[in-house]
Amino acid sequence: LRYLHFFHTRLSSDLRAKGSKVRADDRHMKKQCCHLGCTIYITGCNYVEELSYYENCQLAISYFEKLIAFGKQKGVRIATYNCRWNNFVCDAMAYTVIHGYLKDLYIKYDTSHCIYAGGDYLQEARDWGGRFIHVHIKGALLIDGKRFDDPPAGMDMTNWGAFFSVLYEKGYEEGLSIEPHSATWHGELGDKGVDYTIAYIRKLMLL
Protein backbone atom coordinates (compact mmCIF):
# COMPACT_ATOMS: atom_id res chain seq x y z
CA LEU A 1 0.00 0.00 0.00
CA ARG A 2 1.58 3.25 -1.17
CA TYR A 3 -1.12 5.87 -0.77
CA LEU A 4 -3.21 7.00 2.20
CA HIS A 5 -6.20 9.21 1.34
CA PHE A 6 -7.79 11.28 4.10
CA PHE A 7 -10.98 13.42 4.01
CA HIS A 8 -12.01 15.70 6.87
CA THR A 9 -12.45 19.34 7.92
CA ARG A 10 -9.14 21.04 8.66
CA LEU A 11 -9.63 24.80 8.92
CA SER A 12 -11.80 26.96 11.13
CA SER A 13 -12.32 30.70 11.41
CA ASP A 14 -10.98 30.22 14.94
CA LEU A 15 -7.23 30.31 14.27
CA ARG A 16 -6.50 28.56 17.57
CA ALA A 17 -8.43 25.50 16.40
CA LYS A 18 -6.22 25.23 13.34
CA GLY A 19 -3.07 24.44 15.28
CA SER A 20 -4.66 21.64 17.28
CA LYS A 21 -6.13 20.15 14.10
CA VAL A 22 -2.75 20.13 12.38
CA ARG A 23 -1.25 18.32 15.33
CA ALA A 24 -4.07 15.77 15.20
CA ASP A 25 -3.44 15.26 11.47
CA ASP A 26 0.27 14.82 12.19
CA ARG A 27 -0.48 12.07 14.64
CA HIS A 28 -2.88 10.42 12.23
CA MET A 29 -0.36 10.52 9.38
CA LYS A 30 2.43 9.19 11.57
CA LYS A 31 0.36 6.32 12.90
CA GLN A 32 -1.35 5.25 9.69
CA CYS A 33 1.43 5.84 7.16
CA CYS A 34 4.06 4.20 9.34
CA HIS A 35 1.79 1.25 10.12
CA LEU A 36 0.84 0.70 6.46
CA GLY A 37 4.20 1.60 4.92
CA CYS A 38 2.66 4.45 2.86
CA THR A 39 4.98 7.02 1.32
CA ILE A 40 2.29 9.38 0.02
CA TYR A 41 -0.38 11.10 2.13
CA ILE A 42 -3.30 12.55 0.13
CA THR A 43 -5.51 15.18 1.72
CA GLY A 44 -7.34 18.43 0.99
CA CYS A 45 -8.42 21.63 2.70
CA ASN A 46 -11.91 22.94 3.36
CA TYR A 47 -12.97 26.52 2.62
CA VAL A 48 -14.06 28.73 5.54
CA GLU A 49 -16.92 30.89 4.29
CA GLU A 50 -16.40 33.58 6.93
CA LEU A 51 -12.93 34.31 5.54
CA SER A 52 -11.73 35.75 2.25
CA TYR A 53 -10.08 33.63 -0.43
CA TYR A 54 -6.76 35.23 0.47
CA GLU A 55 -7.18 34.32 4.15
CA ASN A 56 -8.20 30.77 3.24
CA CYS A 57 -5.07 30.40 1.11
CA GLN A 58 -2.92 31.73 3.95
CA LEU A 59 -4.37 29.19 6.36
CA ALA A 60 -4.08 26.36 3.84
CA ILE A 61 -0.42 27.20 3.21
CA SER A 62 0.28 27.24 6.94
CA TYR A 63 -1.50 23.91 7.37
CA PHE A 64 0.31 22.22 4.49
CA GLU A 65 3.69 23.66 5.52
CA LYS A 66 3.44 21.89 8.86
CA LEU A 67 2.21 18.68 7.25
CA ILE A 68 5.02 18.72 4.68
CA ALA A 69 7.65 19.31 7.35
CA PHE A 70 6.31 16.44 9.44
CA GLY A 71 6.07 14.20 6.39
CA LYS A 72 9.70 14.80 5.49
CA GLN A 73 10.71 13.45 8.86
CA LYS A 74 8.87 10.22 8.07
CA GLY A 75 9.71 9.92 4.36
CA VAL A 76 6.11 10.76 3.39
CA ARG A 77 5.21 13.16 0.57
CA ILE A 78 2.04 15.25 0.85
CA ALA A 79 -0.47 15.65 -2.00
CA THR A 80 -3.81 17.38 -2.41
CA TYR A 81 -6.74 15.72 -4.17
CA ASN A 82 -8.69 17.65 -6.83
CA CYS A 83 -12.11 16.44 -5.73
CA ARG A 84 -14.36 19.36 -4.73
CA TRP A 85 -15.76 17.55 -1.70
CA ASN A 86 -14.81 19.58 1.39
CA ASN A 87 -11.82 20.94 -0.50
CA PHE A 88 -11.00 24.19 -2.34
CA VAL A 89 -7.42 23.32 -3.31
CA CYS A 90 -8.60 21.76 -6.55
CA ASP A 91 -8.24 24.16 -9.47
CA ALA A 92 -5.77 26.31 -11.37
CA MET A 93 -6.17 29.36 -9.13
CA ALA A 94 -5.56 27.42 -5.93
CA TYR A 95 -2.62 25.58 -7.50
CA THR A 96 -1.09 28.88 -8.58
CA VAL A 97 -1.31 30.40 -5.12
CA ILE A 98 -0.75 27.39 -2.85
CA HIS A 99 1.31 24.91 -4.88
CA GLY A 100 3.11 27.81 -6.48
CA TYR A 101 4.36 28.76 -3.03
CA LEU A 102 4.82 25.25 -1.61
CA LYS A 103 7.28 23.54 -3.95
CA ASP A 104 7.03 20.19 -2.12
CA LEU A 105 3.23 19.93 -2.26
CA TYR A 106 1.99 17.43 -4.86
CA ILE A 107 -1.33 16.64 -6.56
CA LYS A 108 -3.49 13.54 -6.84
CA TYR A 109 -5.33 14.14 -10.11
CA ASP A 110 -8.67 12.89 -11.43
CA THR A 111 -9.74 14.24 -14.84
CA SER A 112 -13.43 13.66 -14.09
CA HIS A 113 -13.50 16.24 -11.28
CA CYS A 114 -12.15 18.88 -13.62
CA ILE A 115 -14.58 17.91 -16.40
CA TYR A 116 -17.63 18.08 -14.13
CA ALA A 117 -16.47 21.45 -12.77
CA GLY A 118 -16.27 22.84 -16.31
CA GLY A 119 -12.48 23.06 -16.31
CA ASP A 120 -9.78 22.13 -18.81
CA TYR A 121 -7.98 19.01 -17.61
CA LEU A 122 -5.41 19.15 -20.41
CA GLN A 123 -4.48 22.69 -19.43
CA GLU A 124 -4.20 21.72 -15.76
CA ALA A 125 -2.06 18.71 -16.70
CA ARG A 126 0.12 20.94 -18.89
CA ASP A 127 0.58 23.52 -16.14
CA TRP A 128 0.75 21.26 -13.09
CA GLY A 129 1.46 17.74 -14.35
CA GLY A 130 4.98 18.02 -12.99
CA ARG A 131 3.42 17.90 -9.51
CA PHE A 132 1.13 14.94 -10.19
CA ILE A 133 2.02 12.12 -7.84
CA HIS A 134 -1.01 9.88 -8.37
CA VAL A 135 -3.61 9.71 -11.17
CA HIS A 136 -7.09 8.21 -11.08
CA ILE A 137 -8.48 6.57 -14.20
CA LYS A 138 -12.20 7.31 -14.04
CA GLY A 139 -14.64 7.86 -16.87
CA ALA A 140 -16.77 10.99 -17.17
CA LEU A 141 -19.72 11.74 -19.43
CA LEU A 142 -21.64 14.99 -19.81
CA ILE A 143 -24.81 15.18 -21.92
CA ASP A 144 -26.44 18.55 -22.54
CA GLY A 145 -23.97 20.03 -20.06
CA LYS A 146 -25.06 17.73 -17.23
CA ARG A 147 -23.39 14.76 -15.59
CA PHE A 148 -24.84 11.57 -17.06
CA ASP A 149 -22.70 8.73 -15.74
CA ASP A 150 -19.13 7.69 -14.96
CA PRO A 151 -18.72 4.90 -17.53
CA PRO A 152 -15.53 2.85 -17.84
CA ALA A 153 -12.56 4.88 -19.03
CA GLY A 154 -12.36 4.46 -22.79
CA MET A 155 -16.15 4.57 -23.14
CA ASP A 156 -16.38 8.11 -21.81
CA MET A 157 -15.72 11.61 -23.14
CA THR A 158 -12.19 12.02 -21.72
CA ASN A 159 -9.45 12.28 -24.32
CA TRP A 160 -7.21 9.75 -22.59
CA GLY A 161 -4.70 9.67 -25.43
CA ALA A 162 -4.12 13.42 -25.22
CA PHE A 163 -4.02 13.30 -21.42
CA PHE A 164 -1.40 10.54 -21.47
CA SER A 165 0.58 12.54 -24.03
CA VAL A 166 0.83 15.35 -21.51
CA LEU A 167 1.83 12.91 -18.77
CA TYR A 168 4.61 11.54 -20.98
CA GLU A 169 5.83 15.08 -21.69
CA LYS A 170 5.92 15.72 -17.93
CA GLY A 171 7.88 12.53 -17.30
CA TYR A 172 5.13 11.05 -15.11
CA GLU A 173 6.21 7.71 -13.61
CA GLU A 174 3.88 7.43 -10.62
CA GLY A 175 0.77 5.34 -10.04
CA LEU A 176 -2.42 4.92 -12.08
CA SER A 177 -5.53 3.70 -10.26
CA ILE A 178 -8.76 2.63 -11.94
CA GLU A 179 -11.72 3.95 -9.96
CA PRO A 180 -15.12 2.42 -10.86
CA HIS A 181 -17.63 5.12 -9.97
CA SER A 182 -20.73 4.46 -12.04
CA ALA A 183 -24.39 4.21 -11.14
CA THR A 184 -24.84 1.75 -14.04
CA TRP A 185 -21.76 -0.43 -14.17
CA HIS A 186 -22.12 -2.86 -11.27
CA GLY A 187 -21.82 -6.62 -10.75
CA GLU A 188 -20.87 -8.62 -13.83
CA LEU A 189 -21.24 -5.56 -16.06
CA GLY A 190 -18.96 -3.62 -13.72
CA ASP A 191 -16.31 -6.36 -13.85
CA LYS A 192 -16.43 -6.31 -17.64
CA GLY A 193 -16.09 -2.54 -17.55
CA VAL A 194 -12.94 -2.74 -15.42
CA ASP A 195 -11.49 -5.38 -17.76
CA TYR A 196 -12.25 -3.10 -20.71
CA THR A 197 -10.53 -0.14 -19.04
CA ILE A 198 -7.46 -2.22 -18.17
CA ALA A 199 -7.09 -3.31 -21.80
CA TYR A 200 -7.74 0.22 -23.07
CA ILE A 201 -5.29 1.97 -20.75
CA ARG A 202 -2.57 -0.62 -21.28
CA LYS A 203 -2.45 0.37 -24.95
CA LEU A 204 -1.51 3.88 -23.84
CA MET A 205 1.26 2.68 -21.52
CA LEU A 206 4.27 2.73 -23.81
CA LEU A 207 7.11 2.83 -21.27
Side-chain angles (χ1 to χ4, degrees):
L1 185 63
R2 190 181 183 192
Y3 308 92
L4 182 64
H5 204 149
F6 193 39
F7 294 90
H8 69 137
T9 297
R10 297 149 193 89
L11 301 185
S12 166
S13 56
D14 180 355
L15 303 187
R16 292 170 297 178
K18 175 178 66 69
S20 62
K21 192 62 181 178
V22 169
R23 289 192 292 273
D25 290 350
D26 289 347
R27 291 193 294 271
H28 179 87
M29 179 172 66
K30 177 182 177 181
K31 179 179 178 180
Q32 298 300 327
C33 287
C34 292
H35 177 71
L36 298 172
C38 296
T39 59
I40 299 172
Y41 183 82
I42 301 170
T43 187
C45 194
N46 62 291
Y47 191 87
V48 181
E49 295 295 338
E50 297 88 348
L51 303 178
S52 68
Y53 186 82
Y54 174 75
E55 289 172 311
N56 272 278
C57 288
Q58 282 186 312
L59 289 179
I61 287 172
S62 177
Y63 168 77
F64 288 126
E65 278 183 324
K66 293 178 176 64
L67 214 53
I68 289 167
F70 188 84
K72 285 182 177 180
Q73 298 175 20
K74 305 298 177 182
V76 176
R77 291 179 290 176
I78 310 301
T80 59
Y81 53 83
N82 73 319
C83 176
R84 272 64 179 169
W85 188 85
N86 206 29
N87 176 46
F88 80 98
V89 188
C90 57
D91 57 23
M93 181 180 292
Y95 296 153
T96 299
V97 176
I98 297 171
H99 292 74
Y101 181 78
L102 298 172
K103 306 305 182 184
D104 293 322
L105 183 61
Y106 298 90
I107 299 169
K108 190 257 0 180
Y109 199 76
D110 183 326
T111 56
S112 72
H113 297 313
C114 183
I115 289 171
Y116 290 138
D120 185 336
Y121 60 92
L122 293 178
Q123 179 180 345
E124 290 186 351
R126 179 199 66 190
D127 295 343
W128 295 99
R131 297 288 191 93
F132 289 3
I133 203 171
H134 185 53
V135 169
H136 273 194
I137 306 298
K138 184 171 71 181
L141 182 58
L142 291 170
I143 297 179
D144 194 24
K146 299 178 182 178
R147 184 174 184 166
F148 179 74
D149 192 18
D150 303 328
M155 294 186 182
D156 67 316
M157 65 185 289
T158 309
N159 188 338
W160 290 105
F163 180 66
F164 268 66
S165 293
V166 180
L167 294 183
Y168 282 120
E169 193 276 335
K170 296 298 178 181
Y172 184 79
E173 295 181 347
E174 302 289 347
L176 302 170
S177 295
I178 296 173
E179 182 185 3
H181 203 270
S182 171
T184 304
W185 294 76
H186 291 287
E188 183 178 356
L189 182 62
D191 292 340
K192 291 180 178 179
V194 171
D195 289 341
Y196 175 88
T197 294
I198 291 172
Y200 177 84
I201 293 298
R202 277 181 174 165
K203 293 179 182 179
L204 301 176
M205 297 172 65
L206 306 179
L207 301 178

